[in-house]
Amino acid sequence: MSYLEELKEFYPLDLYAFSRGLTEGEFTVLKNLRKVLEEKVKPVVNEHWEKAEFPFEAFGEIAKVGVMNSPLLFEGREGKRKPSELYNAFLYLELAKLDASIATFYTVHGGLCYNTILMGGSEEQIAHYAPKVASFEWQGCFGLTEPDHGSDIAGGLSTTAEKKGDKWVINGEKRWIGGANTADILPIFARDTADNKIKCFIVPGGSKGLRVDVIQNKVALREVQNGHIYLDNVEVDDSTRLENVNGFKDVARILRATRADIAHLAMGMTYGSLEAALKYVKERDQFGKKVSSFQLVQEKLARMEANVVATLAYSAQLANLQEQGEFLEENSALAKMHNALRMRETVALGREVCGGNGITLETDVARFFADGEAIYSYEGTHEINALIVGRYLTGQGAFV
């Protein structure tokens, strides 16, 4: 079987063949990843979703694949610190089509945390932190959102950092921070009391004065342990302050890069929802024949496939632009807005074609349906991303 034939078989829903841009090395890593996901992660996902526990042991098998640092990902990319953006999009497809919580945990670690280090750190800081994050030796998170400040975090960030000698003292709270309770390093964004500028500090897990409570009773992304962080006179060395974060414009650079990850994640959920629905309707008998043979069901499946191709198109082209160094805010905002909208429609259609059984975890579509609400809102709500695009179109900001 040729490489292109194998790609087509591996991604049968990719009708417009966006996957052809992957190198053979990247495809090899993705194949290895899917094997681990199917054999090690999928069997325990529903159990952990229902118990609201993260499958750390199974996730550890993902780390062994080398999804961030395998040499196969850097063939022809000498001097690059990250794999290609197109590979990144298909990595999210693989993770999210299996489970949104797994993909979300990864994007906090491999997206937000890793990009914060790469974009905010000095060369010495990158050399210290990045390899351990890329190998999953250290788990990271991303401490930006606060209890009273989400969409308005640019002007409303309340957590403070005060310089005292060669130390910084951090006080405040963070909320909805995925993986914070188990993180080895916590990038915490705080406002410098001296100049009122936002800075970022790498706070070690277990630091004195640091407390993390896990948010309970969620109806989406139940496996992800979202933390409410309390920082009570947490003291860190000046060497932990990332040198290239000196205001919200630097935070915005990180968010522009990582918002694309959530667009890809939404695309992967769209793909996974159709896969799960197809499996069910091809096996389920009603009125003496397969549910998949009914016209109304096929119409819904066709709409879902159109959404798969459309979200893939957004993700692939956004990846191509970012690979060329074009990290435009309106581009990532548009992709997240579009892909989350189409994902939301698709997970509902997936639940619908599975009928009453579609509310059970066994069919997988219920998990996608519930988790989709969280993806729709995080990394910029629909409204915030729409206003970013609207500002680009009109030249007028309408945020307040």
Side-chain angles (χ1 to χ4, degrees):
M1 184 184 297
S2 70
Y3 173 56
L4 293 181
E5 290 172 332
E6 190 176 4
L7 272 174
K8 185 175 181 180
E9 184 176 288
F10 200 73
Y11 293 115
L13 305 183
D14 178 20
L15 285 182
Y16 285 15
F18 297 108
S19 57
R20 288 184 187 176
L22 294 168
T23 67
E24 293 195 41
E26 291 168 342
F27 185 42
T28 298
V29 174
L30 293 170
K31 285 189 293 184
N32 293 339
L33 172 62
R34 184 179 294 187
K35 188 173 187 293
V36 167
L37 290 171
E38 291 291 331
E39 295 179 359
K40 304 293 185 180
V41 183
K42 188 173 184 178
V44 303
V45 159
N46 286 337
E47 173 190 353
H48 283 78
W49 195 94
E50 192 163 26
K51 290 181 178 179
E53 298 174 352
F54 192 79
F56 282 103
E57 184 176 351
F59 189 87
E61 298 298 318
I62 296 174
K64 295 176 184 177
V65 175
V67 293
M68 294 179 68
N69 64 357
S70 169
L72 293 172
L73 302 175
F74 293 91
E75 294 170 349
R77 296 181 63 77
E78 291 73 16
K80 299 285 188 179
R81 290 188 167 119
K82 293 172 58 180
S84 78
E85 295 293 338
L86 185 64
Y87 161 80
N88 188 55
F90 278 87
L91 171 61
Y92 278 103
L93 187 158
E94 291 297 329
L95 296 171
K97 85 181 188 71
L98 179 84
D99 180 60
S101 292
I102 295 293
T104 295
F105 185 88
Y106 174 77
T107 197
V108 173
H109 173 87
L112 289 163
C113 177
Y114 196 55
N115 276 293
T116 297
I117 292 165
L118 294 184
M119 301 175 78
S122 65
E123 287 299 320
E124 293 77 11
Q125 290 170 326
I126 292 171
H128 177 67
Y129 293 110
K132 291 181 173 62
V133 173
S135 67
F136 293 88
E137 180 182 344
W138 286 349
Q139 182 215 320
C141 65
F142 184 76
L144 178 63
T145 303
E146 298 182 344
D148 297 323
H149 301 287
S151 296
D152 70 341
I153 198 72
L157 190 139
S158 299
T159 301
T160 62
E162 183 180 1
K163 184 78 177 294
K164 293 186 176 181
D166 61 352
K167 305 283 187 181
W168 289 85
V169 179
I170 306 174
N171 284 281
E173 297 178 35
K174 299 293 179 179
R175 188 167 174 82
W176 294 113
I177 312 305
N181 63 317
T182 54
D184 299 293
I185 56 171
L186 297 86
I188 298 293
F189 293 85
R191 195 175 296 278
D192 186 346
T193 56
D195 62 11
N196 209 36
K197 299 291 186 181
I198 295 177
K199 309 283 182 12
C200 183
F201 305 84
I202 303 295
V203 177
S207 295
K208 183 180 178 181
L210 172 69
R211 188 178 104 231
V212 181
D213 291 344
V214 175
I215 298 171
Q216 304 293 329
N217 305 316
K218 298 186 301 174
V219 300
L221 299 179
R222 288 176 54 78
E223 296 154 76
V224 177
Q225 305 299 291
N226 291 100
H228 188 125
I229 299 175
Y230 299 87
L231 301 130
D232 182 12
N233 290 318
V234 174
E235 191 174 277
V236 295
D237 293 334
D238 185 50
S239 62
T240 69
R241 185 182 75 79
L242 296 183
E243 294 185 9
N244 294 316
V245 178
N246 295 293
F248 191 78
K249 63 179 176 57
D250 297 319
V251 182
R253 282 192 302 115
I254 297 167
L255 295 177
R256 278 198 296 273
T258 57
R259 185 176 288 123
D261 293 345
I262 311 307
H264 304 330
L265 198 160
M267 172 268 289
M269 288 185 68
T270 305
Y271 197 108
S273 298
L274 178 52
E275 270 195 342
L278 281 170
K279 181 179 185 298
Y280 180 84
V281 299
K282 288 179 178 180
E283 295 173 354
R284 174 72 168 174
D285 289 309
Q286 287 290 283
F287 301 102
K289 56 183 180 179
K290 300 296 182 188
V291 171
S292 57
S293 68
F294 291 102
Q295 288 182 345
L296 288 176
V297 170
Q298 290 198 5
E299 187 273 342
K300 290 178 173 62
L301 295 173
R303 285 162 58 192
M304 294 171 75
E305 169 63 6
N307 288 344
V308 167
V309 173
T311 55
L312 265 168
Y314 268 76
S315 281
Q317 182 58 11
L318 179 61
N320 290 335
L321 290 171
Q322 292 192 337
E323 184 67 22
Q324 297 166 28
E326 295 186 38
F327 290 85
L328 301 180
E329 188 173 37
E330 58 269 19
N331 285 352
S332 58
L334 182 64
K336 199 281 177 172
M337 182 190 79
H338 171 272
N339 284 8
L341 272 172
R342 299 284 69 83
M343 174 274 298
R344 202 184 198 196
E345 176 187 34
T346 305
V347 298
L349 286 169
R351 204 248 16 111
E352 185 177 332
V353 298
C354 293
N357 289 330
I359 68 168
T360 66
L361 291 176
E362 184 181 2
T363 60
D364 290 330
V365 294
R367 193 160 30 83
F368 286 118
F369 181 71
D371 290 343
E373 287 304 293
I375 309 310
Y376 183 70
S377 292
Y378 76 46
E379 198 64 40
T381 63
H382 169 78
E383 291 77 12
I384 289 296
N385 283 309
L387 290 177
I388 292 171
V389 177
R391 181 179 61 192
Y392 166 77
L393 294 172
T394 65
Q396 297 175 303
F399 290 90
V400 293

